Amino acid sequence: MNALTRPDTPQVALEHSADTLQRARALLQQTLDFVRQQARPWSGSGLSKASDDPYVISRFGDLQIHIEVAAALQERAQRQLQEHQEPAEISVALAEAAIAASQALLAASDAEFELTGQRSPQPQNLDDPLRWKYQLIGNYRLNGVPPQGFRSAV
């Protein structure tokens, strides 16, 4: 399925970003588990556990913020959809939720590689490129041009 064959509904867009957010959460948990149970501290740190490293700790704090921001934008988009808000506002909210969820997943994937030396395979997301969502949001906020439909024009 791609952007031209995928059903063009706000519900599908919301489900897609929710799935991406769930993958980010799962990857964060997987990385947390690895660092707690298997990771060794950097040899020059003088620490006995990798989980005591202030840089590792701050990395997880950063990831948690990415995920919480994505979750808040997801909830906002869902609320706007349920309350039958203005279609342009719904479309922008859905785009913001999709971008935040994708950024959270990318950050979690990068941290997984950085902290575990491994990278879990992630499904390609070529059916809905984010670059169009940035343009949709910016054009609406800057120029007042309402989005055309609920999917990217590819």
Side-chain angles (χ1 to χ4, degrees):
M1 200 177 305
N2 62 37
L4 299 176
T5 60
R6 187 180 68 242
D8 188 19
T9 67
Q11 291 80 11
V12 169
L14 195 61
E15 289 171 12
H16 185 70
S17 63
D19 178 58
T20 302
L21 180 57
Q22 182 55 38
R23 290 195 332 257
R25 284 183 170 135
L27 193 54
L28 171 62
Q29 187 60 52
Q30 181 180 317
T31 305
L32 278 168
D33 292 343
F34 180 92
V35 169
R36 287 177 183 145
Q37 298 165 7
Q38 298 178 35
R40 290 178 286 174
W42 177 61
S43 60
S45 71
L47 300 169
S48 61
K49 299 186 305 185
S51 60
D52 290 336
D53 187 321
Y55 295 106
V56 172
I57 292 169
S58 66
R59 189 74 164 108
F60 281 108
D62 179 58
L63 289 172
Q64 190 63 46
I65 291 168
H66 274 82
I67 288 174
E68 293 303 324
V69 166
L73 288 171
Q74 179 79 14
E75 289 171 13
R76 189 185 92 197
Q78 186 172 9
R79 189 172 48 254
Q80 287 187 358
L81 192 57
Q82 289 171 344
E83 294 173 356
H84 306 289
Q85 298 280 328
E86 178 184 333
E89 288 294 330
I90 292 171
S91 186
V92 168
L94 290 169
E96 291 169 345
I99 288 170
S102 292
Q103 287 177 340
L105 180 58
L106 181 60
S109 179
D110 288 347
E112 177 196 33
F113 184 70
E114 175 187 340
L115 299 171
T116 72
Q118 302 170 13
R119 189 176 299 273
S120 298
Q122 294 297 323
Q124 294 293 326
N125 195 16
L126 301 175
D127 63 325
D128 198 15
L130 294 179
R131 66 183 174 272
W132 288 97
K133 292 184 184 308
Y134 285 104
Q135 193 275 341
L136 176 148
I137 295 164
N139 203 24
Y140 181 67
R141 296 290 184 217
L142 180 63
N143 299 318
V145 176
Q148 301 299 313
F150 288 101
R151 69 172 180 189
S152 299
V154 206

